[in-house]
Structures are given as C-alpha cells and as structure tokens.
Amino acid sequence: MTSADTTADDQSERYDPHTIERRWQRVWADEGTWEVANPGQPGFDAEDPKAYVLEMLPYPSGEPHMGHLKVYSVGDAIAHFRRRHGHNVVHPMGYDAFGLPAENNAIKTGEHPRTATEKSIAAFREQFKSWGISIDWTREIGTHDPDYYRWTQWIFLKLYEQGLAYRTEAHVNWCPKDATVLANEQVIDGHCERCGTLVEQRRLEQWFFKITDYADRLLEDAAELDWPENVLTMQRNWIGRSEGAEVVFSCEQPALEFPVFTTRPETLFGATFFVLSPEHPEIERIAAGTGQEDAVRDYVNEAARSTSEERGAEDRPKTGVPLGREVVNPVNGERIPMFVADYVLMEYGTGAIMAVPAHDERDHEFAETYDLPIRRVIEGDELPYAGDGAMVNSGRFDGKDNREAYTEIVAWLESEGRGKPAINYRLRDWLVSRQRYWGAPIPFVYCDKDGIVPVPADQLPVLLPEIEDYAPKGKSPLAAAEDWVNTECPVCGGPARRETDTMDTFVDSSWYFLRYLDPGNEELPWAREVADYWMPVDQYIGGVEHAILHLMYARFFTKALADMGLLAAQEPFANLFTQGMITRDGAKMSKSKGNVVSPAEYVERYGADAARTYICFMAPPVKGGDWSDEGAEGVFRFLARVWRLSREVAERCGSSAGAETPDGASGEARELLAKAHWAIDKVTRDIDPRFQFNTAVSAVMELVNDVYRLKDGLYDDPAGSAAVRFATATAASLLFPFAPHLGSEVYEQLTGERVWEQPWPKADPALLEHDTYTLIVQVNGKLRDRIEVATSASEEEILELARGSEKVGAHLDGGEVVKEVVVPGKLVNIVVR
RNA sequence: GCCGGAGUGGAGGAACGGCAGACUCGCGGCACUCAAAAUGCCGUGCCCUUCGGGGCGUGUGGGUUCGAAUCCCACCUCCGGCACCA
C-alpha cells in the first residue's frame, strides 16, 4: 500500500495499537493501578486472599529478548487473572545487575560496569513499560544498588554467625579466561558455563556456604512442591543422596586408618584391592620407603595437570600406580594391595575406595588392566555383576540373599567398631568467592591479630571501590584499590586488609524475592510480618535452565533464613512454571545464526498486545515454540478484527453500562450467549490449572468468529443486539490477560467500565447445557452416523434412534448384533459379527 | 550408559479411553474493487468415487478394550538432564 491510498479518515478506522497502548499505559501509571499495599499500610485489605506472582528477574544486558517477552507475558496473564479473582496481587520487577558480561565489557571499553548496567536497566524498564506489564514499580530493585547489596552482605554475615559460611582451602574449579573460580554447578562438561573455556583445578582459600547441611531437607521438602517433575528430578539427582556404609580399612605400615564409603557393603568379601585418589593427602606418606615414590609422584603430578574433562572422559582407560603397601580387609583380615588411581575422586566420599572388581564395572576394568584378582561374591550373570543374588565366597554369609547380608554385615561391622551405616551426597558446598570486580564485596577483613573478622553490621554496606583497571590478574581487581583494602580491624583497631573477592551473583538472586516485599526498609532486609504475609511466592515463572542453580540456592537461603527466625516460609516458591524456549526456524535464536527477532522491533510494528498474544498463542507456554512472522501477523489481524467488531457493535448496539448476561434470549441470540459462556468456561480452565494459553486464545477466536457469523441476523432484535454486545464484551474481558490494552479499550467502549476492575466472568451452568447434542453412532467402533438427539433422551431412546439410522443399517449387513455400548450424551457403538 | 520428555496435515498446534486435525498460518476459490491491497465469506489430511459415499490415516511392531493419538510391552528417531559419585 502506498501512502497516497491512506486518507486521514482511513487512519481513524484502522486498529492502531500504539495509540491504544499509550493511552492505557498512561492511565495505569498515573493511577498506580498495579501498586499494592503491605499489611499495615493504608489501602491494605486483609480480607482478600494474597497472591505473589513472580517471574525470574532478568539479567540486564543490552535489550530484552523474546525469552523475556515470553516470561513476562505468561506471568502477567496470571497476575491479571488472580487480581480479577479478588486476590491482593504483588507483582514486582527488578534486575540481577551484578555479573561478568558488564565487567568484561568494561575491560574491553573502559566503560564502568555500573554505567553500562544502568543503561541496560533503563532500556529494560522502558521496554517492560511499553509491554504494559502490570508491575508495581514502587518495589523495583537492582542487586547492584548499595541499598540492596548491603543486605546481601548482611545475610552473608548471618550465615557466618550460624556456621553456614566458612573459609577454607580447597581444590576448586578455575576458569583461566574469566580468571575466577566457579561453583561446581557452573562447570558444564569440564568447561566454564559462561565462556566455554576448559576449567582447571587450583588449590585456593575460598568462601563456601554450607548447603550440604540442608541436603536432606532440600530433598525431603521437594516432595511437597508443586513443581514440574523434571525439575524435581534434576534437583534430586544433583543432591545425589546414596545410602550405604562407612567401612574402615587399616594400614599397618604406615599405621593409618582408611574409612571408605560403599553402597555395597555386602560385597566386602570380594574386595581384592584398594584405591586412593591422587589428591588424597596421605599419598606421599604411604609411598615413602616403598621404592614407588617416583612413580607415584609422577602419577599424582600428571593427574593434577589434567583437566576435569580429560579425567572424566567417557572411554578413557583406567590408569593407576601401585603404592607398594597393603591394607587389611576388616571382614576377613585379608591384606589387599593399595593403588593410586584417578578414577577415584577426592571430592566424593573419603577419597578412597575398596575395589570389588566382580561387582563394579570400574573396578573390574581396572583389575583387568592390571591383572588383579577378581572374586565373585554374589551369584548371577557374567561379571561385572551389579544385580542381586545369593552370597558366595563370603564366609558365614554364603547362601544368604545379598540384601539380607547387607544389613547383617553392617550390623557386624558396627559391633566391631569397623564401620557404620552412612549416607553420602553428591552435592558439595557452594563456593561463593569470585575474583572479580562487579559483585557484592564479601564483608570481612583479615587482621594479623584477630584473624578473619566480620565487618560489623552497622558498617554495611562495604561499598565497591572505584578502580581504574578491571582486568583480572589471577586475584581480584579489588586488590588494586590499596586505600580501600587497607582498613582497620573492627576488633582491635589495628591495621587489617579487606577481603578482595566478591560474591557469586547467585547469592544476590537467592533472596531478591524477599526484598521486593519491603524494598524501602532501612532497618532490616524485610519486616518479618510483611514477608510472612506474602511468602511463599504463589506462582514462580522462569526458564528450566535454572532448575538446579538458582532454584536450589534460593531454597537453601529460604530454609537458612527461616531457621534464623527471619521468615516463616520453609520454601520460597510454592508453584513453579517453566516455560519453553522460543526458537526460530527450529533453532535457538542467536546473533551468530542471524535468526534473532527482537521484541522491540515487533512491538513497534504490531503493538505489545499482538506480540504478547502471539507468544501465548503459538504453542503451550510450557513447550518451546517456533517464531513465525506470518503467525505473528495472524494474531495482529485477529486483534484488529476484534477492534473492528467492537466499533461496529458499539455503533449498532449502543454502549450501555455493564456486561450482564441478557435474559430471555432464544434462537441464535441464545446460541451466541451459550458460546460466550462456553468461552468463559474454557478460558478460565485453560489459564488456571492448565497454563494452556494457546487454547485459551483460540477459544476467544472461536467466540469472535461466531459473533461475526451471527451478528448481522441479530442486530435488529433487541435481545439479539444485547447478545452481540455481551459476547463481544466478554471476548474483550477474556482477552484482557493476554492483550490488556485492547481488552481495556474494547471493554470500555462497549460497557463504559474498566475491565480490570471487573471480577473475572463466571460461566453460567444453565448456558453450558444444551437441549440437544450430536450423538455419535458407530458400528464396530467406526463412525457411521451422527444424530441430533435431545439431551433428555434415555438410553433406550438413544439406542432406538441409533438402530433406526439408515446409514447404520447399511453397515449391519445382516450380521449378528453381539453387543451394544451406550454412552449417554456421547455415542452408541453397535458390535456385529 | 542412566533418568526424564516428545514424535499428529504443507507449518505452529487441538483432542476427560469415545466425531482425529479445534484455532492460527499457508494455499485455493468467491464477494467487494476499474484494478490491487485491506476486509468479509467458503474450501483445504491422503487415496478412490457413479458425488450417495467408501477406504486409509496420529514414528514402527505387538497387546489390552465394544472402542486407542490417548493405556501396556518392545523398538526407532529427536530434545533435555546426569554421567568414573564407589
């Protein structure tokens, strides 16, 4: 179309999302429509039930992408839905503003991470507002704000008081490119989660949070959560609880005891050798004086050099070196040789294992390689055999079932003081130190006299110093800020040095949902009565990529904070919804593939309502969805169709106040009202328990299609006209959670009312019932006829009608009727032979 | 290897064990128009058809059932998670 074709008059007749969207956004901003009061504040209504609707907070980098549009579109629909069900809804927004990308940018360009971050925040905020998301903006936070990280530091100190934060030297994952340590959770296949660089092992003094103390509670309480099963499974696997026994092997020369963890204590008689991890602290002592010193040292050094990926490689042959010593098997006094081998990990169990080659695949492989004895102790398939069976070669346990032997052997070990039942976890403590600039400083100082000293709470926040050079040098860039580093000890007043590491940004996001509730509180991170009113989050929405990291850390924090008496909630997120990823041409959107669709571009072209509604319509939100420009445009056309309908209906039917279901309709008017109530019922059920927004939107499309189909025959009759107006207003009302601007516009046009102030419509059961229905008639399970029958018809009557059908008769074909199945309200199936 | 999830038209996707393919896109047709766009309406799984209808169809092969996309078993493919955790 050329501009010459467009007259001024045409313009006013065209659906113009920008005008409509700006108009309503201004109303909501001016009136503070989405602001909600806390307990004790004016306007707070204790009578209403509460709902905390929360999407995962965004990391502000550049501009929002489609994933953001999706998560906030989904969350906003829920927030609107709950509000119109009479809930006090808190729906806040903030920014996970510390982190590496801003800092890496600073290294490249010299731009302060704060400047870049705040630029991004401004862009995010502006776009979120242009999307019309119903956020209470008075609660906005940024985790990089000293008013926020002051409390992150405060919580760190609280954890320290409780013994849940500690500093120790440990083998840690080190990313040479980012020049920082990483948590186990941030190492993917031996590579840095962020930059993909191969991770190295280093031994460093680091801060940890003792999440392992909560392993059992994190595991048990997961059962109570209304979360997707796959997320719960991932968390269970990550915690990796295994039950077994600790068994003590002793070494005579040098005199040492070696506890090992095993899940198969009943195979103890099959232990034919013993293996230590290369990182085991006693290695050198054991090998000393055996003539194996050099070989062992070489092996240990080699293991230290190799990366965790090399060591973890799938088909890597087992290697090891004899230590030249023996340990004694406590069940039979047998001496078995000791080895050092890198298939034993120092981080799990005790860093030592008893090797049972007959019943463990790895031990078997090692025994084959080094020609070590293999002794079967459980009958069964070929070796290595990991199943159950009767015990053999196990002294007085022979012939017993292995499960039974398990219990008896553990009991016997315990009575002898050589073992006990034990539980091991895969979960490790959370390493939180980062040798980077752009994060919350860890609030401690080191004093020669007083050691590790927490910064007193009244001296918080420990502000990030301004520095010149952000480039990592193997220690934190903060170390260069001499004036800042050198301080005085809070205990003795003597000279002391500040901790120069900053916190993992997952610490920031482990409690943000609490700060939203009381963001202005200067005395405490939140007032307990406020948190206890709102918590837990009733509906949390975000990507499944945070199934382990963020969601586990936030659960841990919540439990720890509850244990300190700061909170009643034991779990942060009662319900979790994980949205699927939006792809383009079947592939993840990425700059390198050049298939990125930016929300801003689309919103500019078709409006926020169309963008949001399309996101909800393209696929069930839990699944991914492939972005198609044509499909998106189709939704825009649908919204325009609604808008045009609304103009026409307002003109033809008038815009009387309210949207009550008109009484006394019959014929097509009644049919339309019934359709409207069907849509109410369908949309309501699709939104709430099902999160099937795509079928909810399609139900509204069906309703609108029916209005178009029937309207011309109804305008002239008052009852018909009322039905058309009601159906159209209902469509707007049901569309509102997805397309809030257009929903508001149309609803106001037809009723004079504000849709968000109206309760969510309720389907009238009387209108969901029909006088007749289409009976399906099958012969041998195949559809042969459809008959319109009265809803009131009895089974006998239905059967009579079915038998009487000509089409059915043609298929009975003289066969013998052996069975007739009648499902009233649905179908008849006649079985012939 | 282990643990999840998913395979339905040309595409995205619908379908409490009971009409397979709602809704949308795309495509075809009609109306409006000088014409086009926009809009409105109709059609659109595949094959056969005497136009009444008939056959086949939800990854593959079996099974349960009056009846299976849906439940069960085996297999294939794809996606996600974990992976030397003793």
Side-chain angles (χ1 to χ4, degrees):
Chain A
M1 183 190 299
T2 64
S3 57
D5 297 318
T6 312
T7 67
D9 198 44
D10 283 343
Q11 279 291 1
S12 69
E13 293 302 318
R14 187 173 295 117
Y15 167 51
D16 175 20
H18 299 292
T19 309
I20 295 170
E21 290 173 8
R22 265 196 300 273
R23 176 185 172 205
W24 293 103
Q25 283 163 19
R26 189 165 304 135
V27 169
W28 299 330
D30 289 352
E31 300 184 6
T33 312
W34 315 123
E35 290 168 21
V36 63
N38 275 347
Q41 289 178 336
F44 175 74
D45 188 347
E47 295 299 300
D48 292 337
K50 68 94 181 178
Y52 189 172
V53 178
L54 183 66
E55 304 88 4
M56 290 179 186
L57 89 173
Y59 175 75
S61 171
E63 293 195 352
H65 51 70
M66 278 297 170
H68 293 116
L69 180 60
K70 179 162 179 178
V71 73
Y72 299 112
S73 298
V74 169
D76 205 38
I78 295 296
H80 280 309
F81 189 76
R82 294 275 166 92
R83 278 192 201 96
R84 291 183 63 196
H85 277 88
H87 290 78
N88 275 336
V89 171
V90 63
H91 187 213
M93 179 64 78
Y95 311 94
D96 188 17
F98 275 135
L100 277 182
E103 183 166 345
N104 290 338
N105 171 65
I107 293 162
K108 239 188 303 177
T109 67
E111 184 182 28
H112 195 290
R114 185 182 302 113
T115 317
T117 301
E118 288 183 350
K119 245 191 265 173
S120 292
I121 287 177
F124 271 61
R125 184 190 296 121
E126 191 192 338
Q127 286 206 32
F128 291 161
K129 289 188 173 175
S130 81
W131 297 349
I133 310 285
S134 63
I135 296 296
D136 178 351
W137 289 102
T138 64
R139 295 170 182 267
E140 189 184 23
I141 58 162
T143 59
H144 69 307
D145 187 333
D147 286 340
Y148 182 88
Y149 71 69
R150 166 191 181 178
W151 298 112
T152 309
Q153 292 171 336
W154 186 88
I155 291 168
F156 197 117
L157 296 176
K158 286 281 175 193
L159 291 169
Y160 181 74
E161 275 172 27
Q162 301 295 316
L164 292 170
Y166 64 95
R167 190 173 148 89
T168 191
E169 192 183 74
H171 283 276
V172 295
N173 302 300
W174 173 266
C175 172
K177 175 133 182 285
D178 288 339
T180 185
V181 298
L182 301 170
N184 286 310
E185 288 83 349
Q186 290 166 327
V187 180
I188 313 292
D189 288 336
H191 292 80
C192 173
E193 175 199 46
R194 300 211 77 85
C195 65
T197 308
L198 213 52
V199 168
E200 298 168 358
Q201 297 294 308
R202 288 202 181 177
R203 205 167 162 81
L204 292 168
E205 281 261 317
Q206 300 288 316
W207 283 98
F208 291 85
F209 287 163
K210 219 167 179 187
I211 191 171
T212 52
D213 270 12
Y214 286 79
D216 264 323
R217 282 168 63 192
L218 289 168
L219 200 58
E220 281 163 25
D221 293 353
E224 308 295 312
L225 296 173
D226 200 348
W227 283 21
E229 201 47 52
N230 61 335
V231 175
L232 294 174
T233 304
M234 281 189 242
Q235 291 214 346
R236 283 191 201 104
N237 291 344
W238 191 264
I239 294 168
R241 182 182 200 270
S242 42
E243 284 184 31
E246 193 174 282
V247 183
V248 182
F249 284 69
S250 52
C251 181
E252 286 160 2
Q253 180 65 350
L256 285 170
E257 304 246 290
F258 291 100
V260 300
F261 175 73
T262 177
T263 54
R264 304 294 303 274
E266 78 272 28
T267 63
L268 213 36
F269 286 88
T272 55
F273 58 102
F274 192 89
V275 189
L276 294 177
S277 162
E279 288 82 23
H280 199 285
E282 301 293 351
I283 292 276
E284 216 167 312
R285 246 179 97 190
I286 298 162
T290 60
Q292 280 295 95
E293 295 92 334
D294 290 346
V296 168
R297 193 173 308 117
D298 287 351
Y299 186 78
V300 168
N301 287 343
E302 181 59 36
R305 260 196 305 279
S306 56
T307 63
S308 53
E309 194 198 30
E310 283 162 13
R311 275 182 67 170
E314 209 173 322
D315 41 9
R316 187 161 180 267
K318 297 274 176 291
T319 60
V321 171
L323 283 165
R325 302 285 186 188
E326 291 174 329
V327 286
V328 176
N329 184 336
V331 291
N332 56 9
E334 201 173 359
R335 289 166 184 281
I336 55 175
M338 298 176 85
F339 291 81
V340 55
D342 68 4
Y343 79 93
V344 175
L345 310 173
M346 193 60 220
E347 310 91 86
Y348 187 77
T350 60
I353 62 155
M354 65 177 207
V356 184
H359 303 288
D360 181 279
E361 206 180 312
R362 298 152 299 181
D363 298 343
H364 189 262
E365 198 189 325
F366 191 84
E368 297 261 272
T369 309
Y370 293 98
D371 213 15
L372 296 163
I374 297 169
R375 185 192 308 145
R376 177 192 282 277
V377 293
I378 296 173
E379 288 184 325
D381 275 353
E382 331 173 357
L383 300 179
Y385 174 66
D388 294 326
M391 304 298 300
V392 290
N393 299 322
S394 297
R396 60 200 164 87
F397 299 98
D398 281 358
K400 291 196 162 149
D401 178 80
N402 72 299
R403 306 272 175 142
E404 208 180 316
Y406 176 114
T407 317
E408 289 180 20
I409 288 180
V410 174
W412 179 80
L413 284 168
E414 202 164 11
S415 71
E416 294 290 304
R418 304 304 298 169
K420 59 182 181 205
I423 291 164
N424 246 276
Y425 300 91
R426 215 189 73 112
L427 183 71
R428 311 284 148 72
D429 277 341
W430 175 11
L431 169 53
V432 295
S433 313
R434 294 292 180 275
Q435 291 71 48
R436 298 300 300 242
Y437 173 74
W438 190 230
I442 293 174
F444 282 82
V445 302
Y446 301 98
C447 168
D448 286 340
K449 196 161 139 279
D450 297 301
I452 299 176
V453 181
V455 173
D458 60 12
Q459 290 177 26
L460 298 181
V462 175
L463 289 169
L464 263 181
E466 298 302 318
I467 59 168
E468 297 293 316
D469 181 8
Y470 305 99
K473 299 161 194 74
K475 56 181 181 174
S476 172
L478 290 183
E482 282 291 327
D483 290 354
W484 179 83
V485 171
N486 291 307
T487 183
E488 62 182 45
C489 171
V491 177
C492 67
R497 294 179 65 80
R498 288 191 187 277
E499 166 68 65
T500 56
D501 286 354
T502 54
M503 292 181 223
D504 179 4
T505 56
F506 278 108
V507 180
D508 308 328
S509 56
S510 291
W511 72 282
Y512 76 103
F513 43 91
L514 292 161
R515 186 61 179 173
Y516 279 145
L517 302 177
D518 202 3
N521 197 325
E522 291 179 6
E523 307 301 315
L524 287 168
W526 59 84
R528 174 154 180 176
E529 64 273 19
V530 171
D532 286 351
Y533 173 73
W534 288 113
M535 287 296 287
V537 172
D538 295 275
Q539 185 64 61
Y540 199 37
I541 303 138
V544 72
E545 64 273 18
H546 294 108
I548 296 169
L549 295 160
H550 164 60
L551 290 170
M552 184 101 79
Y553 294 149
R555 292 184 62 210
F556 160 59
F557 259 51
T558 301
K559 288 180 187 305
L561 294 166
D563 287 352
M564 295 174 204
L566 296 168
L567 198 63
Q570 284 291 324
E571 285 287 341
F573 314 123
N575 286 270
L576 172 70
F577 180 82
T578 53
Q579 46 151 359
M581 200 175 46
I582 297 177
T583 54
R584 183 90 189 274
D585 307 321
K588 187 174 171 172
M589 288 190 197
S590 73
K591 282 195 192 113
S592 58
K593 290 197 201 86
N595 63 347
V596 177
V597 189
S598 101
E601 199 182 301
Y602 191 79
V603 168
E604 176 58 35
R605 193 145 37 122
Y606 297 113
D609 282 338
R612 294 176 55 171
T613 307
Y614 176 58
I615 289 268
C616 293
F617 177 68
M618 66 199 292
V622 71
K623 294 217 286 184
D626 202 56
W627 181 274
S628 130
D629 286 343
E630 290 81 11
E633 198 177 327
V635 170
F636 171 78
R637 286 205 298 258
F638 164 67
L639 296 183
R641 187 168 152 89
V642 173
W643 184 85
R644 282 191 306 273
L645 179 65
S646 152
R647 305 266 299 184
E648 181 183 312
V649 171
E651 195 180 304
R652 299 290 301 267
C653 310
S655 51
S656 66
E660 295 299 308
T661 308
D663 293 327
S666 60
E668 290 189 338
R670 192 190 144 86
E671 185 189 337
L672 191 54
L673 293 181
K675 184 70 178 187
H677 280 264
W678 168 84
I680 291 168
D681 181 56
K682 172 86 176 145
V683 172
T684 306
R685 284 183 295 115
D686 281 352
I687 292 179
D688 195 12
R690 304 211 317 151
F691 273 90
Q692 288 269 103
F693 295 176
N694 56 329
T695 49
V697 173
S698 80
V700 181
M701 288 173 169
E702 282 195 54
L703 173 59
V704 169
N705 288 346
D706 272 14
V707 178
Y708 266 87
R709 183 168 59 85
L710 298 171
K711 64 185 168 57
D712 291 333
L714 292 171
Y715 281 138
D716 294 336
D717 163 53
S721 176
V724 170
R725 196 178 64 84
F726 171 79
T728 310
T730 297
S733 177
L734 297 176
L735 209 47
F736 172 74
F738 311 108
H741 313 89
L742 181 69
S744 300
E745 179 80 12
V746 169
Y747 199 85
E748 189 200 50
Q749 189 163 38
L750 296 177
T751 68
E753 290 174 342
R754 293 172 151 189
V755 67
W756 65 86
E757 291 172 359
Q758 307 309 312
W760 187 255
K762 255 181 104 74
D764 178 356
L767 279 161
L768 294 176
E769 307 248 314
H770 294 270
D771 298 341
T772 64
Y773 65 94
T774 308
L775 178 76
I776 300 306
V777 186
Q778 299 178 332
V779 176
N780 290 343
K782 287 193 190 228
L783 174 72
R784 292 306 175 193
D785 201 4
R786 296 163 217 256
I787 306 173
E788 206 58 22
V789 303
T791 307
S792 57
S794 69
E795 284 197 29
E796 289 71 29
E797 289 167 320
I798 292 168
L799 206 45
E800 273 317 303
L801 284 164
R803 287 186 190 125
S805 156
E806 267 177 51
K807 290 172 185 167
V808 168
H811 288 92
L812 294 179
D813 208 24
E816 183 197 350
V817 175
V818 283
K819 192 166 185 176
E820 288 165 322
V821 181
V822 183
V823 185
K826 280 214 174 94
L827 60 67
V828 169
N829 187 16
I830 299 171
V831 186
V832 293
R833 206 168 12 218

